[in-house]
Amino acid sequence: VQLQASGGGTVQPGGSLRLSCTALGNIESINGMGWYRQAAGKQQELVAMITSYHITNYGEAVKGRFTISRDNYANAVYLQMNNLKPEDTAMYYCVADMAARGQVSAPYWGQGTQVTVSS
């Protein structure tokens, strides 16, 4: 099983981007899905997480600007990012707590997608 993320890019301050991440493979179940980010020279931080029941949790830095959503049938999670700021520049990683068929659940990480906010 793996996570495939897309949607990063370069945008001006105040702009918007939408990240997508799809879980692929022989999947038994998926619990939480979400996004973390890491800027150059900084620690990794939570962006947003969503449970299979659509309960959400956001990092303080993105509350009110980012919205996480999920399609359980498509095994996908999305991150709508509005009013982007230069400090949102980072590599964004999709993460999911999921179980491959016949295995216990474990955290899986996507390959990362770069978001750059610059004028």
Side-chain angles (χ1 to χ4, degrees), residues 36-90:
Y36 280 74
R37 69 185 183 186
Q38 187 165 21
K42 295 188 177 181
Q43 289 188 330
Q44 190 177 69
E45 65 172 345
L46 169 71
V47 179
M49 291 293 294
I50 185 168
T51 72
S52 57
Y53 295 99
H54 301 277
I55 297 171
T56 59
N57 181 37
Y58 292 93
E60 287 297 323
V62 306
K63 283 183 178 178
R65 300 187 296 121
F66 291 10
T67 302
I68 190 169
S69 61
R70 177 171 174 168
D71 184 339
N72 288 335
Y73 294 104
N75 291 335
V77 63
Y78 310 98
L79 185 69
Q80 178 65 42
M81 304 184 292
N82 296 330
N83 190 21
L84 282 160
K85 303 176 181 180
E87 51 264 42
D88 294 317
T89 296

Side-chain angles (χ1 to χ4, degrees), residues 79-119:
L79 185 69
Q80 178 65 42
M81 304 184 292
N82 296 330
N83 190 21
L84 282 160
K85 303 176 181 180
E87 51 264 42
D88 294 317
T89 296
M91 186 70 76
Y92 284 68
Y93 295 93
C94 176
V95 60
D97 179 42
M98 58 186 179
R101 291 202 186 278
Q103 298 185 21
V104 297
S105 62
Y108 287 82
W109 293 81
Q111 80 279 14
T113 184
Q114 178 68 36
V115 171
T116 301
V117 184
S118 175
S119 55

